[in-house]
Amino acid sequence: MSIGELIRLLSDGHYHSGQQLGERLGVSRTAVWKQLKKLEAMDLALEAVKGRGYRLADPIESLDGAAIVSSLPAAPRRHLSRLFIEDQLDSTSTFLRERFRQGAGHAEVCLAESQTAGRGRRGKAWSTSWGRSLIFSLGWRFEGGVAALEGLSLAVGVVMAEMLEAFGAEVALKWPNDLLLSVDGEWRKLAGILLEVTGDVEGPCEVVIGIGLNVALSEAGRAAAGQPAGALADVLQPVPSRNQLAARLIDALLSLLPAFEREGFVAWQAAWNQRHAYRDRRIRVHQGRQSFAGEAKDVDASGNLQVATESGIQALAGGEISIRPE
């Protein structure tokens, strides 16, 4: 019995006795009880009613590969090499990097209900609770070399923002790879993008695009975020289906990537600047142990953020840099 099987049973809205769960899962009631005790540690609230049994207080929509693929338009469905749906991984991006090492990986997508070692920029962890986020990675092989990838994470941010705006969310982009959500007039972090690249500077290279998107957040999840965090459930009712979100995201990325390889970031530059969260605002730039203040301007055709300082315009090119509003 896996914890995922138990969660899916308890998510149907009905109560299940320990005996029923044991029979469905082929284990003893004692084994079921041990797994039920784990749910609280996983930030999953359980309702228990004497004489009726157990169910999840907040039912979770499980990821469904067949539902995702059937929702794709014909073109992206043809271009999608393989879709993996996993209950729990250390990281969906690590999973796809291993697929590349095995000679596969291109146009493959991996989704997980939970991950134990998710990563953000600058080595930060991306904390997720089971079934409340879209934990997503897509692999792509580029022939033009690493230099051709300038601005790719920003272009991914643009197509994600367009997708979420179609659901009714008000979204802004924070350089270089965060999406912010407007909740009660405050910008809160909604999603993060992390690109991992291996290969040649001038020859073929392999990219894994890792995305974490908050669909719903518990209070414990907000506390673990370490910064103001938002989720689609804060502003959208009904909350979009995670399977629908996954299908829309696969569609958007499989359209973006071939076009990006031909055109570069310049085709998405204006759309990014229109959603620039800190445009013409005072910011503080942190780079290693150094920091300086300036006024954020537009991003250029390579995706570099222009910052006006007392000594002139500085172009920030990603890497170990973070910015905060002053």
Side-chain angles (χ1 to χ4, degrees):
M1 173 185 63
S2 72
I3 196 74
E5 291 175 301
L6 178 60
I7 291 170
R8 281 184 280 276
L9 280 175
L10 294 172
S11 288
D12 65 2
H14 301 294
Y15 287 97
H16 302 269
S17 69
Q19 182 176 342
Q20 290 170 337
L21 291 169
E23 290 172 354
R24 290 283 301 273
L25 298 169
V27 296
S28 67
R29 291 181 64 179
T30 301
V32 169
W33 174 248
K34 288 179 180 178
Q35 293 289 68
L36 289 172
K37 295 293 287 182
K38 293 179 181 179
L39 298 184
E40 187 175 339
M42 295 169 62
D43 194 22
L44 294 174
L46 195 66
E47 288 183 352
V49 176
K50 190 173 182 180
R52 300 185 69 186
Y54 309 91
R55 71 177 183 181
L56 287 182
D58 298 307
I60 290 172
E61 176 206 20
S62 296
L63 294 169
D64 183 332
I68 293 169
V69 171
S70 66
S71 297
L72 289 172
R77 196 183 308 167
R78 286 196 306 271
H79 294 137
L80 177 65
S81 295
R82 194 163 177 182
L83 174 63
F84 296 91
I85 305 289
E86 305 291 334
D87 277 353
Q88 190 172 68
L89 292 172
D90 55 352
S91 159
T92 54
S93 291
T94 299
F95 180 94
L96 284 186
R97 290 206 321 273
E98 180 58 32
R99 291 286 297 167
F100 273 123
R101 281 192 286 270
Q102 295 169 2
H106 177 68
E108 294 187 352
V109 170
C110 180
L111 293 154
E113 297 287 4
S114 176
Q115 60 182 11
T116 58
R119 298 182 302 284
R121 288 183 67 245
R122 307 172 72 218
K124 293 182 179 178
W126 179 274
S127 178
T128 57
S129 298
W130 185 289
R132 290 196 176 99
S133 300
L134 194 67
I135 306 167
F136 177 106
S137 292
L138 183 149
W140 195 263
R141 184 174 292 106
F142 285 87
E143 299 302 323
V146 174
L149 304 182
E150 287 183 332
L152 177 57
S153 67
L154 280 71
V156 171
V158 169
V159 299
M160 284 187 66
E162 291 171 343
M163 176 194 79
L164 295 168
E165 287 162 359
F167 282 98
E170 184 181 351
V171 178
L173 297 171
K174 177 191 169 190
W175 187 89
N177 58 1
D178 286 350
L179 280 81
L180 307 181
L181 177 70
S182 179
V183 182
D184 298 328
E186 177 189 13
W187 289 114
R188 301 181 184 178
K189 183 168 179 178
L190 172 67
I193 302 160
L194 181 67
L195 267 56
E196 299 181 56
V197 183
T198 56
D200 233 290
V201 174
E202 298 182 356
C205 61
E206 296 159 348
V207 180
V208 175
I209 301 169
I211 292 169
L213 169 65
N214 296 329
V215 179
L217 276 173
S218 66
E219 290 309 310
R222 293 181 200 277
Q227 61 181 296
L232 295 179
D234 296 338
V235 297
L236 299 180
Q237 293 297 330
V239 183
S241 154
R242 287 193 304 147
N243 290 306
Q244 187 181 16
L245 287 166
R248 295 276 188 93
L249 187 52
I250 292 169
D251 182 12
L253 291 178
L254 290 180
S255 299
L256 164 73
L257 292 167
F260 189 92
E261 196 157 16
R262 293 190 305 269
E263 303 171 42
F265 174 64
V266 68
W268 290 270
Q269 180 186 1
W272 197 97
N273 284 322
Q274 287 168 5
R275 297 170 174 84
H276 186 351
Y278 299 150
R279 189 180 197 174
D280 296 328
R281 288 184 59 184
R282 295 286 298 177
I283 61 170
R284 179 155 291 275
V285 179
H286 299 272
Q287 190 169 14
R289 296 183 179 180
Q290 306 296 319
S291 72
F292 64 89
E295 187 174 284
K297 299 299 182 183
D298 284 347
V299 299
D300 63 21
S302 297
N304 302 320
L305 178 64
Q306 309 293 304
V307 181
T309 69
E310 292 179 355
S311 57
I313 297 290
Q314 292 199 35
L316 306 182
E320 299 302 304
I321 299 174
S322 69
I323 63 172
R324 295 285 186 271
E326 280 205 317

